[in-house]
Amino acid sequence: MDRRIKMADVKAAISEAYNKYKDLAEGSVDERVAGMNDGKFGISLRLIDGRKVDVGDTQAQFPMEGISRIPVSIQLLTQMNPEDLVMKMGGGKKGCCCKSAAQECDTEKKHKKLHARGVRAVSLVEPIGDYDGKMEILSDLMTSLMGASPILEDKLYQAEQKANVDNDVINQLAANDFEIYDSSEIAVDLYARLRSMLVTTEKLAEMGATIAADGINPYTKEVVFDGTLSATVCSMMAAKGPKKMGRPWLILTGTPAMSCFAGGFIAVVPGFGSIAAFSPELNEAKVPVKAAKAIKDILNQLQLNAFSSARVDVVD
C-alpha cells in the first residue's frame, strides 16, 4: 500500500531532530580534523523530485573519508557485474586478502591503518596504471553525483600520505601478500586523496538522492549512471553500514547508510531521497553521535524504511 506524508511533517521531523541534538555534549573529535568544524551540526534532505530541506551548518566542509567508497563502488559496478566485483573484493579465493590459505586472512585487523579494502577497490578502477586517468574519472563521477566537484584538503592529504609512509603501508601490503589489481603506489596514494576530498551535507544528500532516484541527479537531471545499479549500491551500503554499527543500524532503521571519521553521515531511502548530517564529535565506535541520532529519529518518525513494501510520496 502506498503511503503519503506531508512535506510539512518532513520539515518538522528534521527541525525537531536538529533542536533535540544540537546541544548534545557527547563524543570527541578525531585528532585528524580537530579544530576544523568543532561544535558544528547540520542536516540536509534531498528528495528525488528536487525538493530539499537544510537546517544548521549544512555548508560546513569535511573530508569524505570512507564515504568516498560510494562513488568508487558506483564506478566499479559500471565496469563489471556485481558477482565479479564481490569475488575481486574478497568473496572468493582469488579475492581473498591472502593468496596463501595458511595465512591469517585479516590484514586490516593486523594493520588497522592500512584501509586495505579501500585500496583494493581503488586499484580496480580503470584505466589500470594511470593515476591521473583514474582520478579524472572518479572526479567527474563525483561532480555528476553531487552537482559540484569536491575540493581536496591538502593538509589532510599530506597527513594521510605521511601516515602511509610512517606505517610502511606499501611494504605491509606486499608482506601480507594482499592482492590488489594495480600498482601499490597508485592505489594507496589515490585512496588517500579520495579520503581527503571535502564535501558538505548538502552535496552528500544530493549524491544520496541521485542513488535513490535510480541514477538521475534530481537537480541537474543528468543521467549519472545506469539506474539498475542503484539497488546494488544500496545493498553495498547496507552491508557496510556506518562504521562499526552496520547490523544494529540496519535493524533499527532498515536504511542503507555510511559514516566517516570527520563527522559525515548519509542515509539513502530508494524512491524517496536521502538524508545527510554532520557532527564531528564521535562515539567510541567512531560514529558521529549527533548526526546518527538525528537521522535515526527522522527515519523512524517518518516511518521510512528501505525494506518497506509501501512507496512513500511526499505531498505539499
Side-chain angles (χ1 to χ4, degrees):
M1 178 182 295
D2 290 349
R3 190 165 64 86
R4 291 187 174 186
I5 57 177
K6 295 180 179 179
M7 189 64 182
D9 293 334
V10 173
K11 293 179 179 179
I14 293 172
S15 294
E16 182 178 329
Y18 176 79
N19 290 324
K20 180 178 179 180
Y21 294 112
K22 67 179 180 179
D23 297 321
L24 179 67
E26 185 178 328
S28 58
V29 179
D30 189 286
E31 62 181 8
R32 289 168 287 186
V33 292
M36 183 180 292
N37 287 299
D38 296 7
K40 292 189 175 181
F41 178 39
I43 306 172
S44 294
L45 172 138
R46 297 291 184 269
L47 299 179
I48 62 171
D49 63 7
R51 284 177 289 178
K52 59 185 180 180
V53 180
D54 294 299
V55 179
D57 302 307
T58 61
Q59 294 187 27
Q61 295 182 319
F62 53 90
M64 292 183 74
E65 197 254 333
I67 293 176
S68 64
R69 292 178 67 173
I70 295 176
V72 171
S73 296
I74 292 172
Q75 176 58 32
L76 292 178
L77 287 168
T78 67
Q79 296 178 194
M80 65 189 76
N81 63 52
E83 184 175 355
D84 287 343
L85 179 56
V86 168
M87 293 296 289
K88 288 181 178 295
M89 285 301 299
K93 291 182 179 179
K94 179 176 176 55
C96 179
C97 62
C98 304
K99 294 178 184 176
S100 170
Q103 271 187 286
E104 180 187 355
C105 186
D106 200 348
T107 301
E108 283 191 296
K109 183 176 180 180
K110 291 189 290 183
H111 306 290
K112 294 182 179 180
K113 295 184 179 180
L114 284 177
H115 310 297
R117 290 177 177 82
V119 171
R120 173 183 282 161
V122 170
S123 78
L124 279 166
V125 174
E126 296 175 350
I128 301 300
D130 184 351
Y131 182 100
D132 292 336
K134 286 175 181 277
M135 190 63 223
E136 182 178 1
I137 286 174
L138 291 172
S139 180
D140 288 347
L141 176 58
M142 289 188 289
T143 298
S144 296
L145 286 167
M146 302 179 195
S149 176
I151 300 171
L152 179 66
E153 169 50 57
D154 287 317
K155 184 177 179 180
L156 180 60
Y157 176 43
Q158 292 169 10
E160 288 268 321
Q161 289 177 309
K162 183 177 185 302
N164 287 335
V165 172
D166 292 346
N167 293 312
D168 199 24
V169 167
I170 291 175
N171 287 333
Q172 285 191 43
L173 289 170
N176 285 281
D177 214 13
F178 188 83
E179 185 168 22
I180 58 177
Y181 303 91
D182 204 339
S183 78
S184 298
E185 289 79 4
I186 287 177
V188 168
D189 189 78
L190 183 56
Y191 191 49
R193 188 180 187 91
L194 292 172
R195 287 165 56 85
S196 305
M197 303 297 283
L198 297 176
V199 292
T200 65
T201 60
E202 295 179 5
K203 294 308 172 186
L204 277 189
E206 185 168 337
M207 176 173 70
T210 302
I211 296 169
D214 292 335
I216 300 174
N217 186 307
Y219 305 95
T220 66
K221 305 305 179 183
E222 178 185 357
V223 178
V224 180
F225 62 89
D226 183 350
T228 61
L229 301 178
S230 281
T232 304
V233 174
C234 287
S235 297
M236 293 176 72
M237 290 178 64
K240 175 68 177 176
K243 289 296 180 182
K244 298 178 181 179
M245 61 177 295
R247 182 164 57 184
W249 172 265
L250 202 58
I251 292 171
L252 292 172
T253 68
T255 305
M258 291 187 73
S259 66
C260 68
F261 72 69
F265 199 110
I266 177 175
V268 177
V269 183
F272 174 83
S274 176
I275 308 171
F278 167 68
S279 61
E281 297 79 19
L282 311 178
N283 62 17
E284 292 183 357
K286 303 301 181 182
V287 173
V289 184
K290 290 189 284 191
K293 288 179 179 290
I295 290 181
K296 179 174 70 67
D297 281 10
I298 295 167
L299 292 170
N300 290 337
Q301 183 171 332
L302 297 175
Q303 299 179 47
L304 298 172
N305 190 309
F307 298 102
S308 173
S309 61
R311 174 184 170 82
V312 178
D313 292 322
V314 180
V315 297
D316 292 324

